[in-house]
Amino acid sequence: MRDKLLAILHDSGSSYISGQEISDKLGISRTAVWKHIEELRKKGYKINAVTKKGYKMEYTPNSITADEINAYLDTKTFGRVVHSFDQVNSTQIPAHEAAREDAPEGTIVVAEEQLKGKGRMGRPFHSPKGTGLWCSLILRPSFPPQQAPQLTLLTAVAIAEGVRKVTDLPVDIKWPNDLLIADKKIAGILIEMQSDPDEIHAVIVGFGLNINQKQEDFPEDIQSRATSLAIAGAGQYNRAQLLAEILKQYEYWYFRMLEEGFGPVREKWEALAVTIGKYITAVTTRKTLCGLARGITKDGVLLLETEDGKIEYIYSADIHEQRST
């Protein structure tokens, strides 16, 4: 009931809404409305009450509780079940546990802080308290494990689209899943599976998004490479609103991929990608390759054309754009 009340207060914006109107919309008494208002106030919400005018939201704590997420949510399944924590080592850990306990598809695990956030290739992901989105999403796709890498690119598309719609900031994608603003990283993505050789039981999609950090909040060794939406944009952003929009985009692209295949996602990814059409250096675990990034395959593998015209298939690598050719 509180998430519905929050949605009503958010929708009313700077206008007052009467207790009777809220009562009618929620199907509860005005006394019950007042009690829910008091509970929200205890959680840090500032709600003005004026006789003959009603209630108006003056301040919303920038939290990612289930109530706050649901107030913005516009999905059928994604984000409808929320496991929220103040602090975890990584949201991937409780998400894996929830998946093994048959949590429904679309369940999310969120935390205010990660102590040991992890990114691609086992790298640490800085996840300070109350500043960003540290989230894991449980999926149960019907396709075989060999197609799971496609979800990495789909995740990048969903986050980029969600951030663009809420903030209007020019988010770009660098292969395979780095999200950038002005060549600085704003997000990390980690895909893990619970599967048999021929069947996926669950995919755990972890992502971290830098939202309200200041430049000095980042460790010195990454300050030149990392940024946040607040640094790139104008002021602070509502984290629950951003998460709700990302989940909306994710649900759209995910079910479209299940119905139509990877093609539409691939087209959108290439439209958002800064890697394609650029001369790059790809550093793999075995060798370093230079050439022109031609595109991606239907499985999300990067196609690199070397100087001698040979096409190399890049499955995993650190990508660096060549500033001159």
Side-chain angles (χ1 to χ4, degrees), residues 49-218:
V50 176
T51 303
K52 295 184 179 179
K53 284 188 175 182
Y55 300 100
K56 180 175 71 171
M57 182 76 78
E58 290 288 348
Y59 171 79
T60 299
N62 202 340
S63 60
I64 48 171
T65 61
D67 286 343
E68 191 65 21
I69 294 167
N70 285 329
Y72 291 99
L73 207 57
D74 184 22
T75 61
K76 292 182 179 179
T77 57
F78 283 28
R80 292 299 171 180
V81 178
V82 180
H83 298 277
S84 179
F85 297 88
D86 184 61
Q87 185 185 82
V88 294
N89 281 335
S90 166
T91 57
Q92 291 291 89
I93 297 171
H96 271 284
E97 293 173 355
R100 284 190 288 268
E101 294 172 0
D102 297 325
E105 183 168 65
T107 295
I108 61 170
V109 174
V110 293
E112 289 289 343
E113 179 182 22
Q114 290 186 127
L115 299 178
K116 297 180 181 179
K118 53 184 179 178
R120 195 166 57 92
M121 298 182 179
R123 294 168 180 156
F125 191 91
H126 188 57
S127 314
K129 187 169 186 175
T131 57
L133 282 181
W134 327 125
C135 179
S136 294
L137 168 68
I138 297 174
L139 302 177
R140 299 190 184 277
S142 55
F143 50 68
Q146 292 78 10
Q147 288 183 242
Q150 296 174 354
L151 291 171
T152 300
L153 283 76
L154 186 152
T155 303
V157 166
I159 297 174
E161 287 284 272
V163 171
R164 281 171 171 243
K165 287 184 180 295
V166 173
T167 69
D168 289 326
L169 291 171
V171 182
D172 298 315
I173 302 174
K174 185 178 82 171
W175 186 89
N177 57 15
D178 282 346
L179 295 171
L180 310 175
I181 295 179
D183 293 329
K184 288 190 174 184
K185 188 171 180 177
I186 61 163
I189 297 168
L190 178 65
I191 307 290
E192 296 177 328
M193 273 198 303
Q194 297 175 5
S195 67
D196 294 326
D198 60 348
E199 181 184 8
I200 294 176
H201 300 299
V203 177
I204 315 301
V205 179
F207 60 90
L209 176 64
N210 300 329
I211 299 178
N212 291 325
Q213 292 99 320
K214 300 175 182 177
Q215 198 67 49
E216 59 267 26
D217 292 333
F218 294 104

Side-chain angles (χ1 to χ4, degrees), residues 24-55:
D24 292 341
K25 288 184 176 183
L26 296 179
I28 59 177
S29 68
R30 293 182 63 177
T31 300
V33 170
W34 178 82
K35 288 181 178 178
H36 283 299
I37 293 286
E38 287 301 301
E39 286 299 315
L40 289 174
R41 285 171 171 161
K42 290 177 183 178
K43 293 183 178 224
Y45 294 88
K46 184 178 178 182
I47 303 170
N48 279 358
V50 176
T51 303
K52 295 184 179 179
K53 284 188 175 182
Y55 300 100

Side-chain angles (χ1 to χ4, degrees), residues 232-253:
Q236 303 281 291
Y237 292 96
N238 186 298
R239 294 185 294 149
Q241 182 184 10
L242 276 161
L243 178 55
E245 185 60 40
I246 289 168
L247 291 172
K248 179 180 179 180
Q249 295 300 318
Y250 209 122
E251 186 176 80
Y252 168 79
W253 286 108

